[in-house]
Amino acid sequence: MNPIALTYDQHFQSAIAQLKAENRYRTFANLERDAARFPTALWRPEGEEDSPREVTIWCSNDYLGMGGHRRVLDAARDALDRHGAGAGGTRNISGTHNPIVELETELADLHGKPAALVFTSGWISNLAGISTIASLLPNCLILSDALNHNSMIEGIRRSGCEKQVWRHNDVDHLEELLQAAGKERAKLIVFESLYSMDGDIAPVAEVVTLAEKYNALTYVDEVHAVGMYGARGGGICQREGVESRIDIVEGTLAKGYGALGGYIAASPAIVDAVRSYAPQFIFTTTLPPMVAACARAAVRHLKESGEERARHQHMARLTKHALRAAGLPVMDNSSHIVPLMVGDAARCKKASDLLLRRHSIYIQPINYPTVAIGTERLRITPTPRHDEAHVAELVEALVDVWSTLGLPFTESKVIPLHAGKPPLEAHCTYSELKRAAE
């Protein structure tokens, strides 16, 4: 490396060293998912790639295991054979293929909207959707929930519009800001239906009512709820019966639907404006036909089937109860997210490493900037494909890790599920766990 490049390289080395000093440096586990046996995967430790170990994944965003569903895989294989691997270009240059047109029709129907537009990811759909919609409105004021996702914050920043932040899920504060802005000014309320780190749910009906009262547009991010909530998997707004009153729904295909991509669903005018003005859409290659086809198959299946949602909710409740009974500090919420508070970046990383190396359980640590400093956690996401044995093994492993690292237990540890034994044994039965959760 030449001397000038070496000087520049030292700056990057220094930046990485700072992350390591702050316990914020992230490492990735080399995992090989087994579609037929998910949540089982093969882990290839660094330097031991030729000797993989079986592990159980407990932090996947493939919440319903749709990434390995037969109908989804069949749709992907068929599209791959028929259309090939790539999309051929951007939507403007040979990239508008029939599978993506069909997917957009399916998504519009999912949310009861006239139109939908698909992007390469949920991050991009938020960046493009929020920035374009707000920038096309005269003197638009964006009202953003304090815990909105990074993609939403970047979309707001990109819009160039004035922003005001309302306290998280505080509709009284939101009303104060709306009232001060006045009914005549263009306003866009931007919020999530389900916040993925704490697992809490927005008061969607109250937000919509305020938007109607003060003449504001609503933009709701349903990425952690689509597929999992609502009669047809349309999300929290569908479950709460306010979907028709929401102006713009944004979602992802990479979580509940187990594929890849993001989208917005709205009126034809809004969708056409984003399609025509957003550079993130105009200059990005389209999702490949096989990805669009498998995403459509997942959306269509979950419109018709509630079995996965019911099993998913049951496993989430079961997991939360078992962890609480073992005295582990589960953050309370009413969703499928199971955050386990650690509160320290270094110990959070150590807990994750111990789970993987000692117990063959993979849960990635969640540190700053994803969550605030001092609120580091393990974020557990049960799926319909976990079972009671998985839960028992998870709890036993976490109790061992908490004890090894000297992490605090809660008072509920004095309420064991098995008298005279550890809170949960690996051999405990499904009926025992089920009775405990009821």
Side-chain angles (χ1 to χ4, degrees):
M1 186 178 291
N2 68 62
I4 294 176
L6 183 61
T7 300
Y8 281 114
D9 206 51
Q10 289 171 347
H11 290 283
F12 300 115
Q13 291 174 3
S14 176
I16 294 299
Q18 181 177 344
L19 286 178
K20 290 180 177 179
E22 296 171 357
N23 293 303
R24 294 199 291 121
Y25 181 70
R26 303 186 180 202
T27 57
F28 302 130
N30 181 350
L31 296 172
E32 186 177 317
R33 288 199 347 163
D34 188 327
R37 299 173 61 220
F38 179 79
T40 299
L42 290 180
W43 172 45
R44 299 178 185 273
E46 187 175 355
E48 304 173 36
E49 287 84 359
D50 293 334
S51 303
R53 291 169 46 183
E54 274 198 3
V55 300
T56 302
I57 299 175
W58 270 102
C59 59
S60 175
N61 279 348
D62 185 0
Y63 293 133
L64 299 177
M66 293 301 293
H69 194 281
R70 177 188 54 78
R71 289 180 65 176
V72 173
L73 297 180
D74 287 348
R77 291 188 191 100
D78 179 64
L80 178 63
D81 290 341
R82 292 171 60 196
H83 307 295
T90 67
R91 294 291 288 274
N92 297 296
I93 304 175
S94 187
T96 298
H97 48 76
N98 190 56
I100 206 160
V101 173
E102 292 180 334
L103 173 59
E104 287 172 341
T105 300
E106 201 75 53
L107 291 167
D109 174 75
L110 172 67
H111 294 292
K113 303 296 182 190
L117 191 67
V118 169
F119 298 81
T120 51
S121 74
W123 197 94
I124 291 294
S125 57
N126 267 335
L127 179 68
I130 294 170
S131 62
T132 305
I133 291 165
S135 67
L136 291 175
L137 294 171
N139 191 31
C140 182
L141 171 65
I142 300 177
L143 299 154
S144 175
D145 185 282
L147 292 189
N148 276 341
H149 188 262
N150 168 267
S151 58
M152 305 175 84
I153 294 168
E154 291 299 324
I156 293 166
R157 183 178 295 139
R158 175 75 184 224
S159 74
C161 297
E162 182 185 352
K163 172 192 72 173
Q164 292 181 351
V165 177
W166 48 292
R167 291 186 294 270
H168 177 56
N169 280 351
D170 187 337
V171 290
D172 292 333
H173 188 215
L174 174 60
E175 182 163 23
E176 289 175 18
L177 298 177
L178 286 165
Q179 195 169 38
K183 288 188 176 181
E184 300 307 314
R185 184 174 184 183
K187 298 172 291 298
L188 181 66
I189 301 173
V190 177
F191 66 108
E192 299 182 46
S193 67
L194 194 164
Y195 291 83
S196 64
M197 290 299 117
D198 290 355
D200 55 335
I201 292 173
V204 292
E206 295 173 75
V207 173
V208 169
T209 298
L210 287 177
E212 293 168 346
K213 180 178 178 180
Y214 292 98
N215 193 31
L217 281 177
T218 47
Y219 181 108
V220 64
D221 175 316
E222 289 261 29
V223 297
H224 292 276
V226 288
M228 280 91 68
Y229 298 88
R232 301 197 306 155
I236 297 296
C237 292
Q238 186 176 94
R239 185 189 74 175
E240 299 301 309
V242 299
E243 190 171 54
S244 63
R245 297 163 62 194
I246 292 285
D247 297 297
I248 305 105
V249 177
E250 186 269 346
T252 186
L253 303 165
K255 294 180 173 62
Y257 296 120
L260 178 70
Y263 64 90
I264 61 169
S267 71
I270 290 175
V271 168
D272 199 19
V274 174
R275 181 190 70 85
S276 301
Y277 279 90
Q280 300 86 354
F281 178 82
I282 294 170
F283 297 106
T284 299
T285 298
T286 318
L287 285 179
M290 63 176 177
V291 175
C294 74
R296 181 184 181 228
V299 173
R300 176 168 285 186
H301 174 78
L302 289 172
K303 283 180 181 178
E304 302 164 355
S305 172
E307 179 182 346
E308 291 83 2
R309 285 189 285 278
R311 171 72 179 170
H312 180 235
Q313 289 296 315
H314 172 72
M315 289 309 301
R317 288 192 299 270
L318 195 62
T319 303
K320 286 179 181 179
H321 176 87
L323 294 172
R324 289 192 186 106
L328 292 157
V330 179
M331 295 174 62
D332 191 40
N333 64 61
S334 60
S335 75
H336 62 281
I337 304 294
V338 187
L340 202 58
M341 183 58 67
V342 177
D344 177 83
R347 294 207 289 177
C348 195
K349 178 65 166 61
K350 287 178 181 177
S352 174
D353 290 345
L354 262 178
L355 282 169
L356 186 57
R357 293 195 172 274
R358 186 182 290 180
H359 297 284
S360 298
I361 288 174
Y362 177 64
I363 307 174
Q364 186 74 353
I366 305 294
N367 294 337
Y368 180 84
T370 306
V371 295
I373 293 173
T375 67
E376 294 83 2
R377 68 201 63 180
L378 298 178
R379 177 180 175 274
I380 298 166
T381 53
T383 75
R385 296 178 69 173
H386 288 91
D387 59 28
E388 68 278 5
H390 288 128
V391 175
E393 290 161 4
L394 172 69
V395 176
E396 184 177 51
L398 284 167
V399 167
D400 173 64
V401 167
W402 246 244
S403 299
T404 299
L405 297 178
L407 294 169
F409 288 89
T410 66
E411 290 300 318
S412 59
K413 192 172 191 297
V414 302
I415 312 173
L417 295 183
H418 303 275
K421 296 182 180 181
L424 279 176
E425 295 286 332
H427 60 262
C428 69
T429 66
Y430 175 73
S431 59
E432 289 172 323
L433 280 167
K434 186 176 180 182
R435 283 198 303 272
E438 289 173 348

